[in-house]
């Protein structure tokens, strides 16, 4: 039997490619690029499996006429880049990388919250620009986190990890989620369930950790921002498009919101020009899970998913984290 063929759409740790090569003929791209539907369709032709990133948008048009592809491993927990219904119809097993990134992403939400609240980024830029000529007592005043109320919108595993950290900061936690957590989990996270308007009104600072779906596009827009406290810090580590970036920029510019920490953007890697022009926003290039250990763990899990989904390796036929396991039992 000739070896199955696997495509890796972006640069990856060499040992992961080596691992895949134990089972497959591997074509691994050495540059990251955003591909059009046509380009992705062409790139996937002739492969049995693909290890894809969040820039690779797979839908029915990409899959049209491709009868060979059997498995897609997404390098990320979020998979709004995949049309799961179309992928399932095509009999392709899709997988993602949950759990292994929870703690690193939770750490990073706090990093953005702290930097934005205490204006670390702007102060550093100012210092590097040679503008520090002695300490002024009333310079660089930020807002506190300790003792303030933290709001979390989206209370999955990452939201819960963020909530647990709030206990160390002495911050009461409010949350809103599609489903209320069991009481025991609420207690261990120290979090109280409220409806969304209450969350917006009562949180001193708000972190967004919800998955992107068609229903929650612009879940935070002008109307929601208007409910928030004027000195609040908003952190988005979820997905671009959940926040209306133009509305956010105007709230930040007009002093209707204190600051923001953003790791994700509508239309990234492009960033809204109005956000780039503001000082009271911390911007980072979608790196919430980017630690050495976590990115390796994600890549390893994605490779394990692909190997198993293509019927190879010790977990043959049982990918550890499938998104559409129903395909496996067909
Ligand atoms: C990153 O954004 C992920 O979904 O893992």
């Amino acid at each position: 039997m000739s070896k199955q063929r696997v495509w890796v759409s972006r640069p990856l740790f060499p040992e992961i490619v080596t691992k895949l090569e134990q089972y497959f003929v591997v074509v691994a791209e050495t540059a990251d690029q955003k591909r059009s539907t046509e380009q992705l369709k062409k790139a996937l032709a002739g492969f049995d499996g693909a290890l894809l990133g969040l820039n690779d948008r797979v839908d029915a048009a990409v899959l049209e006429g491709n009868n060979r592809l059997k498995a897609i491993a997404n390098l990320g927990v979020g998979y709004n880049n995949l049309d799961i219904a179309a992928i399932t119809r095509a009999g392709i097993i899709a997988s993602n990388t949950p759990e292994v990134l929870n703690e690193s992403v939770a750490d990073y939400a706090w990093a953005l919250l702290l930097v934005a609240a205490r204006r670390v980024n702007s102060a550093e830029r100012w210092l590097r620009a040679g503008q520090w000529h002695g300490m002024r007592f009333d310079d660089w005043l930020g807002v506190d986190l300790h003792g303030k109320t933290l709001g979390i919108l989206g209370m999955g595993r990452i939201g819960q990890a963020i909530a647990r950290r709030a206990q160390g900061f002495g911050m009461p936690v409010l949350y809103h989620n599609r489903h209320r957590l069991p009481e025991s989990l609420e207690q261990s996270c120290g979090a109280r369930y409220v409806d969304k308007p209450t969350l917006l009104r009562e949180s001193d600072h708000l972190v967004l950790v919800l998955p992107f779906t068609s229903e929650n596009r612009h879940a935070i827009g002008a109307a929601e921002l208007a409910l928030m406290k004027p000195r609040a810090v908003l952190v988005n580590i979820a997905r671009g498009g959940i926040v209306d970036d133009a509305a956010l920029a105007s709230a930040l510019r007009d002093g209707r919101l204190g600051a923001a920490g953003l790791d994700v953007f509508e239309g990234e890697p492009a960033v809204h020009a109005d956000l780039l022009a503001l000082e009271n926003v911390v911007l980072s290039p979608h790196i919430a899970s980017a630690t050495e250990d976590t990115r390796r763990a994600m890549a390893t899990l994605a490779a394990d998913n692909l190997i198993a989904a293509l019927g190879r390796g010790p977990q043959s036929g049982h990918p550890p984290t499938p998104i559409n396991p129903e395909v496996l039992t067909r």
Side-chain angles (χ1 to χ4, degrees), residues 248-270:
L248 173 61
S250 99
L252 288 166
R253 191 181 44 236
D254 301 346
R256 286 179 280 117
L257 190 73
L262 307 174
D263 189 47
V264 287
F265 306 88
E266 282 187 288
E268 64 187 51

Side-chain angles (χ1 to χ4, degrees), residues 76-321:
V77 62
Y79 50 83
N80 56 301
N81 56 314
L82 304 180
D83 178 340
I84 295 300
I87 289 172
T88 304
R89 271 197 308 277
I92 295 168
I93 300 163
S95 56
N96 65 337
T97 62
E99 302 292 353
V100 291
L101 76 186
N102 293 351
E103 302 300 325
S104 297
V105 173
D107 286 348
Y108 195 75
W110 280 94
L112 285 181
L113 190 53
L114 282 159
V115 170
R118 299 302 300 272
R119 307 175 65 192
V120 180
N121 59 328
S122 309
E124 194 208 6
R125 269 199 297 272
W126 180 83
L127 178 152
R128 283 179 187 271
Q131 300 198 54
W132 190 22
H133 304 298
M135 189 180 150
R136 269 192 58 143
F137 199 65
D138 56 354
D139 258 351
W140 297 110
L141 305 182
V143 290
D144 280 320
L145 298 186
H146 69 272
K148 303 289 181 190
T149 297
L150 179 67
I152 302 179
L153 183 58
M155 197 58 152
R157 291 160 291 207
I158 297 172
Q160 292 162 33
I162 293 168
R164 286 197 307 275
R165 284 157 174 75
Q167 296 175 21
F169 280 84
M171 295 178 78
V173 176
L174 300 176
Y175 79 96
H176 182 73
N177 195 41
R178 261 174 315 172
H179 309 291
R180 189 172 168 175
L181 299 184
E183 212 173 308
S184 58
L185 207 46
E186 285 185 345
Q187 270 169 16
S188 66
C189 293
R192 184 160 69 83
Y193 179 84
V194 290
D195 61 26
K196 187 175 162 190
T198 306
L199 182 80
L200 295 167
R201 267 195 294 266
E202 293 189 6
S203 299
D204 291 303
H205 306 300
L206 180 66
V207 180
L208 309 177
V209 215
L210 58 172
F212 184 80
T213 60
S214 47
E215 292 88 65
N216 62 24
R217 179 172 179 273
H218 289 185
I220 301 293
E224 289 75 18
L225 291 164
L227 294 179
M228 292 180 67
K229 297 189 181 183
R231 302 196 75 196
V233 176
L234 175 71
V235 168
N236 186 7
I237 48 151
R239 274 292 179 275
I242 290 177
V243 175
D244 177 343
D245 285 349
L248 173 61
S250 99
L252 288 166
R253 191 181 44 236
D254 301 346
R256 286 179 280 117
L257 190 73
L262 307 174
D263 189 47
V264 287
F265 306 88
E266 282 187 288
E268 64 187 51
V271 176
H272 199 292
D274 292 354
L275 289 173
L276 288 169
L278 290 167
E279 274 296 319
N280 53 344
V281 55
V282 183
L283 308 166
S284 66
H286 206 144
I287 57 170
S289 65
T291 67
E292 178 86 35
D293 289 346
T294 292
R295 284 281 165 93
R296 278 188 202 282
M298 290 168 71
T300 302
L301 179 54
D304 288 344
N305 273 315
L306 197 55
I307 293 164
L310 289 174
R312 308 300 304 275
Q315 302 175 87
S316 172
H318 302 281
T321 54

